[in-house]
Amino acid sequence: MAEALKRTPLYGVHVRAGARMVPFGGWEMPVQYAGIVEEHRTVRSAVGLFDVSHMGEFEIAGPGAPAVLQRLTTNDASALAVGQVQYSLLCDPDGGIVDDLTIYRLDADRFMLTVNAANIDKDWAWVTAEGRGDARWKNISAETALLAVQGPRAEALAGRLADVDVTAIGYYRFARGKVAGVSAIISRTGYTGEDGFELYVSAGQAVDLWDALMDAGKADGIVPVGLGARDTLRLEMKYALYGNDIDQTTNPIEAGLGWVVKIGKGEFIGRPAVERVKAEGPRRKLVGFEMVDRAVARHGYRILKGGAEIGVVTSGSYGPQVDRYIGMGYVPTECSMVGDEFEVEVRGKGQRAKVVQTPFYPSKVKKS
Amino acid sequence: MGNYPADLKYTKEHEWARMEGNRARVGITAYAQEQLGDVVFVELPKVGTKVSQMQPFGVVESVKAVSDLFAPLSGEVVEVNAELVKKPELVNQDPYGKGWMLVIQVSSPQEANALLTAQQYEEFLAKGGH
């Protein structure tokens, strides 16, 4: 028998809201409420509320914490100030990506790592085995809920409910405060390409916060948003999804994540391997493409050129805002320039596609 | 529950057929479009294509899923709904009307006996629909 699916503290809320629940990374999660296209467009035009409590959170605290993170992760953790968030990677010694994550510097020697839901157990085993030092790890995934408020109306909505000035929180920064009376880490981050916040709260208060946001957000046109639209929103931004676009068989350079690998910072796990790829240049690259012929590319479809297989689609769908069939995939570096054409094999037939400028839709995140 | 017009015949693959003389207009049911979610792509055969009862004639894709379409009856395709190329969402908005997919010139009218009535289809759905 399959292992029982885990549920977030908001499971009952989703069911009552009429969500369609599906298995995702070991969790029973809402894939959609009213419909993926409508939810997607509402996030682009107004504001949407996401339950992403399935994500994992680890804390590491102690005098050795900065050094441990510097060795475990590819970005320069020493550049992270208290109150700042950093996107980073865990790599294995071959340069394969164990996970992508965000790191929060809570205090001088205390950090929080947010990891992908499907990787919680693998990452926990990895960091506790490879991340030894004068610091202690704590897995706080179960007691932590995570809500994302995303869209052009997110700032106004969060601002009305928070007891801190959310307009002062810069992109990839966070503040501690209360939102609708609930103690939260208020983080100006997201996975949609829109302005907005991710709110970390204790699991027991997730329902209160959800209800308060849905209620106060009525005036802003808020809707609950499922994982279906979360996926199409991130695809329009060409944000990588672990397990689809990146995994332990892909390296950060070919995935276009070289900007979070700081070779010059000193030793870290995977450095020699990644440095080699960087020096030689990647053989393949993760590109964003648009279908020229009318067809939908899907994860796992083959990419062909002149009938021969040259790569693979890692993500593909209809982009509800750009109103085109778009995708991401690995192709040889010599076929990875904007304008380069290839075919995607859809039901045995090659359908033309071309590499385009990404993001597919211009990012609206607050960069100030 | 859903809306299943009594003048249509249904398949267990969730297509409907409306007899119009010797022709049958074909689409997918309210249940099918609801299960699929937002339809974003429909692939239909060309006029003149021969289709066979309960064999795939095309594909419907939602944001998340790809599903085959099955012919309720055998015959030759004499009309396809070209509007679905630009507006696949018509399948969601009006599954029995503007969301129609094909018209088949039926070659074996007796095949219709194998299709479900609206009542039989609703009973089939009540038992899980698969």
Side-chain angles (χ1 to χ4, degrees), chain A residues 225-256:
Chain A
V225 184
L227 293 185
R230 182 171 159 84
D231 190 43
T232 51
L233 286 158
R234 68 93 196 166
L235 173 61
E236 283 185 344
M237 301 314 300
K238 198 183 169 245
Y239 292 159
L241 172 62
Y242 195 89
N244 272 44
D245 312 297
I246 53 174
D247 59 30
Q248 234 157 318
T249 71
T250 63
N251 70 63
I253 306 302
E254 63 190 13

mmCIF file of all heavy atoms in Angstrom, chain A residues 225-256:
data_model
loop_
_atom_site.group_PDB
_atom_site.id
_atom_site.type_symbol
_atom_site.label_atom_id
_atom_site.label_comp_id
_atom_site.label_asym_id
_atom_site.label_seq_id
_atom_site.Cartn_x
_atom_site.Cartn_y
_atom_site.Cartn_z
ATOM 1 N N VAL A 225 -5.405 30.209 -4.828
ATOM 2 C CA VAL A 225 -4.715 29.725 -6.033
ATOM 3 C C VAL A 225 -4.067 28.377 -5.731
ATOM 4 O O VAL A 225 -3.387 28.219 -4.712
ATOM 5 C CB VAL A 225 -3.646 30.736 -6.492
ATOM 6 C CG1 VAL A 225 -3.002 30.279 -7.796
ATOM 7 C CG2 VAL A 225 -4.247 32.121 -6.653
ATOM 8 N N GLY A 226 -4.275 27.427 -6.617
ATOM 9 C CA GLY A 226 -3.743 26.084 -6.416
ATOM 10 C C GLY A 226 -2.393 25.882 -7.086
ATOM 11 O O GLY A 226 -1.836 26.783 -7.715
ATOM 12 N N LEU A 227 -1.900 24.657 -6.968
ATOM 13 C CA LEU A 227 -0.578 24.346 -7.517
ATOM 14 C C LEU A 227 -0.546 24.385 -9.042
ATOM 15 O O LEU A 227 0.505 24.572 -9.640
ATOM 16 C CB LEU A 227 -0.127 22.952 -7.044
ATOM 17 C CG LEU A 227 0.156 22.802 -5.549
ATOM 18 C CD1 LEU A 227 0.706 21.402 -5.264
ATOM 19 C CD2 LEU A 227 1.133 23.856 -5.063
ATOM 20 N N GLY A 228 -1.710 24.224 -9.673
ATOM 21 C CA GLY A 228 -1.756 24.288 -11.131
ATOM 22 C C GLY A 228 -1.320 25.645 -11.638
ATOM 23 O O GLY A 228 -0.444 25.768 -12.502
ATOM 24 N N ALA A 229 -1.911 26.695 -11.077
ATOM 25 C CA ALA A 229 -1.539 28.051 -11.495
ATOM 26 C C ALA A 229 -0.157 28.425 -10.960
ATOM 27 O O ALA A 229 0.576 29.185 -11.603
ATOM 28 C CB ALA A 229 -2.586 29.054 -11.024
ATOM 29 N N ARG A 230 0.204 27.893 -9.801
ATOM 30 C CA ARG A 230 1.563 28.152 -9.296
ATOM 31 C C ARG A 230 2.589 27.677 -10.335
ATOM 32 O O ARG A 230 3.579 28.345 -10.597
ATOM 33 C CB ARG A 230 1.763 27.421 -7.966
ATOM 34 C CG ARG A 230 3.113 27.651 -7.297
ATOM 35 C CD ARG A 230 3.084 27.054 -5.887
ATOM 36 N NE ARG A 230 4.389 26.764 -5.338
ATOM 37 C CZ ARG A 230 5.175 27.643 -4.723
ATOM 38 N NH1 ARG A 230 4.780 28.888 -4.611
ATOM 39 N NH2 ARG A 230 6.346 27.286 -4.236
ATOM 40 N N ASP A 231 2.277 26.537 -10.960
ATOM 41 C CA ASP A 231 3.184 25.987 -11.970
ATOM 42 C C ASP A 231 3.209 26.835 -13.244
ATOM 43 O O ASP A 231 4.268 27.109 -13.794
ATOM 44 C CB ASP A 231 2.770 24.541 -12.274
ATOM 45 C CG ASP A 231 3.795 23.824 -13.133
ATOM 46 O OD1 ASP A 231 5.005 23.984 -12.869
ATOM 47 O OD2 ASP A 231 3.400 23.115 -14.070
ATOM 48 N N THR A 232 2.046 27.270 -13.732
ATOM 49 C CA THR A 232 2.046 28.071 -14.962
ATOM 50 C C THR A 232 2.623 29.464 -14.710
ATOM 51 O O THR A 232 3.258 30.043 -15.591
ATOM 52 C CB THR A 232 0.634 28.172 -15.573
ATOM 53 O OG1 THR A 232 -0.303 28.591 -14.577
ATOM 54 C CG2 THR A 232 0.182 26.836 -16.147
ATOM 55 N N LEU A 233 2.423 29.997 -13.505
ATOM 56 C CA LEU A 233 2.986 31.320 -13.179
ATOM 57 C C LEU A 233 4.516 31.257 -13.179
ATOM 58 O O LEU A 233 5.188 32.122 -13.754
ATOM 59 C CB LEU A 233 2.472 31.795 -11.816
ATOM 60 C CG LEU A 233 1.009 32.271 -11.801
ATOM 61 C CD1 LEU A 233 0.418 32.203 -10.399
ATOM 62 C CD2 LEU A 233 0.892 33.689 -12.355
ATOM 63 N N ARG A 234 5.056 30.210 -12.552
ATOM 64 C CA ARG A 234 6.522 30.123 -12.486
ATOM 65 C C ARG A 234 7.089 29.796 -13.879
ATOM 66 O O ARG A 234 8.173 30.250 -14.233
ATOM 67 C CB ARG A 234 6.970 29.127 -11.420
ATOM 68 C CG ARG A 234 6.672 27.653 -11.679
ATOM 69 C CD ARG A 234 7.802 26.944 -12.348
ATOM 70 N NE ARG A 234 7.359 25.679 -12.919
ATOM 71 C CZ ARG A 234 8.081 24.991 -13.784
ATOM 72 N NH1 ARG A 234 9.254 25.416 -14.190
ATOM 73 N NH2 ARG A 234 7.623 23.867 -14.282
ATOM 74 N N LEU A 235 6.321 29.042 -14.687
ATOM 75 C CA LEU A 235 6.787 28.729 -16.039
ATOM 76 C C LEU A 235 6.901 29.996 -16.875
ATOM 77 O O LEU A 235 7.877 30.165 -17.611
ATOM 78 C CB LEU A 235 5.845 27.712 -16.698
ATOM 79 C CG LEU A 235 6.100 27.394 -18.174
ATOM 80 C CD1 LEU A 235 7.495 26.790 -18.378
ATOM 81 C CD2 LEU A 235 5.039 26.441 -18.721
ATOM 82 N N GLU A 236 5.926 30.900 -16.784
ATOM 83 C CA GLU A 236 6.014 32.157 -17.545
ATOM 84 C C GLU A 236 7.237 32.979 -17.142
ATOM 85 O O GLU A 236 7.680 33.843 -17.893
ATOM 86 C CB GLU A 236 4.733 32.990 -17.357
ATOM 87 C CG GLU A 236 3.564 32.472 -18.187
ATOM 88 C CD GLU A 236 2.318 33.360 -18.107
ATOM 89 O OE1 GLU A 236 2.231 34.202 -17.195
ATOM 90 O OE2 GLU A 236 1.436 33.198 -18.970
ATOM 91 N N MET A 237 7.774 32.721 -15.947
ATOM 92 C CA MET A 237 8.989 33.422 -15.486
ATOM 93 C C MET A 237 10.264 32.635 -15.786
ATOM 94 O O MET A 237 11.354 33.083 -15.491
ATOM 95 C CB MET A 237 8.918 33.661 -13.972
ATOM 96 C CG MET A 237 7.735 34.470 -13.521
ATOM 97 S SD MET A 237 7.450 35.938 -14.518
ATOM 98 C CE MET A 237 8.996 36.788 -14.273
ATOM 99 N N LYS A 238 10.094 31.415 -16.306
ATOM 100 C CA LYS A 238 11.210 30.472 -16.492
ATOM 101 C C LYS A 238 11.932 30.175 -15.172
ATOM 102 O O LYS A 238 13.140 29.949 -15.139
ATOM 103 C CB LYS A 238 12.205 30.935 -17.566
ATOM 104 C CG LYS A 238 13.099 29.781 -18.075
ATOM 105 C CD LYS A 238 14.137 30.261 -19.081
ATOM 106 C CE LYS A 238 15.180 29.178 -19.356
ATOM 107 N NZ LYS A 238 16.523 29.573 -18.910
ATOM 108 N N TYR A 239 11.186 30.187 -14.077
ATOM 109 C CA TYR A 239 11.760 29.720 -12.813
ATOM 110 C C TYR A 239 11.833 28.193 -12.867
ATOM 111 O O TYR A 239 10.859 27.540 -13.248
ATOM 112 C CB TYR A 239 10.877 30.112 -11.620
ATOM 113 C CG TYR A 239 10.788 31.579 -11.290
ATOM 114 C CD1 TYR A 239 9.714 32.051 -10.537
ATOM 115 C CD2 TYR A 239 11.758 32.490 -11.688
ATOM 116 C CE1 TYR A 239 9.609 33.396 -10.192
ATOM 117 C CE2 TYR A 239 11.658 33.836 -11.344
ATOM 118 C CZ TYR A 239 10.582 34.284 -10.599
ATOM 119 O OH TYR A 239 10.472 35.606 -10.253
ATOM 120 N N ALA A 240 12.962 27.645 -12.449
ATOM 121 C CA ALA A 240 13.129 26.188 -12.470
ATOM 122 C C ALA A 240 12.271 25.536 -11.385
ATOM 123 O O ALA A 240 12.111 26.078 -10.296
ATOM 124 C CB ALA A 240 14.589 25.834 -12.252
ATOM 125 N N LEU A 241 11.710 24.385 -11.717
ATOM 126 C CA LEU A 241 10.990 23.569 -10.735
ATOM 127 C C LEU A 241 11.800 22.318 -10.484
ATOM 128 O O LEU A 241 12.071 21.545 -11.412
ATOM 129 C CB LEU A 241 9.590 23.205 -11.270
ATOM 130 C CG LEU A 241 8.794 22.201 -10.426
ATOM 131 C CD1 LEU A 241 8.515 22.743 -9.027
ATOM 132 C CD2 LEU A 241 7.481 21.837 -11.117
ATOM 133 N N TYR A 242 12.170 22.106 -9.223
ATOM 134 C CA TYR A 242 12.970 20.926 -8.900
ATOM 135 C C TYR A 242 12.179 19.664 -9.216
ATOM 136 O O TYR A 242 10.998 19.554 -8.924
ATOM 137 C CB TYR A 242 13.404 20.905 -7.421
ATOM 138 C CG TYR A 242 14.513 19.897 -7.232
ATOM 139 C CD1 TYR A 242 15.838 20.261 -7.380
ATOM 140 C CD2 TYR A 242 14.233 18.548 -7.019
ATOM 141 C CE1 TYR A 242 16.860 19.334 -7.290
ATOM 142 C CE2 TYR A 242 15.243 17.603 -6.928
ATOM 143 C CZ TYR A 242 16.564 18.009 -7.060
ATOM 144 O OH TYR A 242 17.569 17.079 -6.993
ATOM 145 N N GLY A 243 12.865 18.703 -9.841
ATOM 146 C CA GLY A 243 12.197 17.463 -10.232
ATOM 147 C C GLY A 243 11.703 17.520 -11.665
ATOM 148 O O GLY A 243 11.498 16.482 -12.291
ATOM 149 N N ASN A 244 11.509 18.736 -12.197
ATOM 150 C CA ASN A 244 11.140 18.902 -13.601
ATOM 151 C C ASN A 244 12.334 19.402 -14.416
ATOM 152 O O ASN A 244 12.754 18.767 -15.374
ATOM 153 C CB ASN A 244 10.010 19.931 -13.744
ATOM 154 C CG ASN A 244 8.644 19.306 -13.619
ATOM 155 O OD1 ASN A 244 8.424 18.486 -12.742
ATOM 156 N ND2 ASN A 244 7.735 19.687 -14.483
ATOM 157 N N ASP A 245 12.824 20.584 -14.044
ATOM 158 C CA ASP A 245 13.852 21.269 -14.831
ATOM 159 C C ASP A 245 15.244 21.048 -14.263
ATOM 160 O O ASP A 245 16.233 21.172 -14.987
ATOM 161 C CB ASP A 245 13.569 22.775 -14.860
ATOM 162 C CG ASP A 245 12.126 23.061 -15.213
ATOM 163 O OD1 ASP A 245 11.718 22.707 -16.333
ATOM 164 O OD2 ASP A 245 11.392 23.597 -14.362
ATOM 165 N N ILE A 246 15.326 20.810 -12.989
ATOM 166 C CA ILE A 246 16.615 20.561 -12.341
ATOM 167 C C ILE A 246 16.480 19.363 -11.414
ATOM 168 O O ILE A 246 15.405 19.108 -10.862
ATOM 169 C CB ILE A 246 17.101 21.803 -11.531
ATOM 170 C CG1 ILE A 246 16.024 22.287 -10.560
ATOM 171 C CG2 ILE A 246 17.535 22.930 -12.463
ATOM 172 C CD1 ILE A 246 16.493 23.414 -9.635
ATOM 173 N N ASP A 247 17.577 18.644 -11.293
ATOM 174 C CA ASP A 247 17.635 17.519 -10.355
ATOM 175 C C ASP A 247 19.103 17.119 -10.206
ATOM 176 O O ASP A 247 19.990 17.863 -10.634
ATOM 177 C CB ASP A 247 16.754 16.338 -10.809
ATOM 178 C CG ASP A 247 17.148 15.798 -12.178
ATOM 179 O OD1 ASP A 247 18.340 15.881 -12.552
ATOM 180 O OD2 ASP A 247 16.265 15.298 -12.894
ATOM 181 N N GLN A 248 19.347 15.929 -9.651
ATOM 182 C CA GLN A 248 20.733 15.581 -9.369
ATOM 183 C C GLN A 248 21.528 15.208 -10.634
ATOM 184 O O GLN A 248 22.744 15.083 -10.584
ATOM 185 C CB GLN A 248 20.809 14.475 -8.305
ATOM 186 C CG GLN A 248 21.708 14.917 -7.146
ATOM 187 C CD GLN A 248 21.430 14.200 -5.846
ATOM 188 O OE1 GLN A 248 20.275 13.987 -5.492
ATOM 189 N NE2 GLN A 248 22.476 13.835 -5.130
ATOM 190 N N THR A 249 20.847 15.081 -11.772
ATOM 191 C CA THR A 249 21.550 14.814 -13.033
ATOM 192 C C THR A 249 21.836 16.099 -13.812
ATOM 193 O O THR A 249 22.403 16.050 -14.893
ATOM 194 C CB THR A 249 20.733 13.866 -13.946
ATOM 195 O OG1 THR A 249 19.584 14.575 -14.442
ATOM 196 C CG2 THR A 249 20.276 12.625 -13.209
ATOM 197 N N THR A 250 21.392 17.235 -13.294
ATOM 198 C CA THR A 250 21.657 18.499 -13.994
ATOM 199 C C THR A 250 22.616 19.337 -13.147
ATOM 200 O O THR A 250 22.591 19.261 -11.921
ATOM 201 C CB THR A 250 20.353 19.296 -14.209
ATOM 202 O OG1 THR A 250 19.798 19.639 -12.943
ATOM 203 C CG2 THR A 250 19.332 18.511 -15.006
ATOM 204 N N ASN A 251 23.439 20.115 -13.810
ATOM 205 C CA ASN A 251 24.339 20.986 -13.045
ATOM 206 C C ASN A 251 23.865 22.437 -13.167
ATOM 207 O O ASN A 251 23.141 22.801 -14.088
ATOM 208 C CB ASN A 251 25.800 20.787 -13.482
ATOM 209 C CG ASN A 251 26.067 21.330 -14.872
ATOM 210 O OD1 ASN A 251 25.938 22.521 -15.114
ATOM 211 N ND2 ASN A 251 26.434 20.434 -15.785
ATOM 212 N N PRO A 252 24.288 23.276 -12.210
ATOM 213 C CA PRO A 252 23.771 24.656 -12.155
ATOM 214 C C PRO A 252 24.113 25.474 -13.397
ATOM 215 O O PRO A 252 23.332 26.352 -13.774
ATOM 216 C CB PRO A 252 24.470 25.257 -10.930
ATOM 217 C CG PRO A 252 24.958 24.111 -10.125
ATOM 218 C CD PRO A 252 25.187 22.983 -11.069
ATOM 219 N N ILE A 253 25.222 25.191 -14.021
ATOM 220 C CA ILE A 253 25.640 26.021 -15.162
ATOM 221 C C ILE A 253 24.719 25.782 -16.348
ATOM 222 O O ILE A 253 24.196 26.727 -16.948
ATOM 223 C CB ILE A 253 27.114 25.732 -15.548
ATOM 224 C CG1 ILE A 253 28.039 25.891 -14.317
ATOM 225 C CG2 ILE A 253 27.560 26.635 -16.699
ATOM 226 C CD1 ILE A 253 27.997 27.249 -13.640
ATOM 227 N N GLU A 254 24.470 24.519 -16.684
ATOM 228 C CA GLU A 254 23.580 24.233 -17.813
ATOM 229 C C GLU A 254 22.149 24.661 -17.505
ATOM 230 O O GLU A 254 21.384 24.978 -18.410
ATOM 231 C CB GLU A 254 23.636 22.748 -18.201
ATOM 232 C CG GLU A 254 23.153 21.787 -17.127
ATOM 233 C CD GLU A 254 23.443 20.326 -17.461
ATOM 234 O OE1 GLU A 254 24.226 20.071 -18.396
ATOM 235 O OE2 GLU A 254 22.884 19.450 -16.772
ATOM 236 N N ALA A 255 21.782 24.679 -16.224
ATOM 237 C CA ALA A 255 20.428 25.080 -15.826
ATOM 238 C C ALA A 255 20.255 26.595 -15.796
ATOM 239 O O ALA A 255 19.174 27.090 -15.490
ATOM 240 C CB ALA A 255 20.081 24.487 -14.455
ATOM 241 N N GLY A 256 21.321 27.339 -16.087
ATOM 242 C CA GLY A 256 21.224 28.798 -16.071
ATOM 243 C C GLY A 256 21.231 29.372 -14.668
ATOM 244 O O GLY A 256 20.794 30.496 -14.443
#
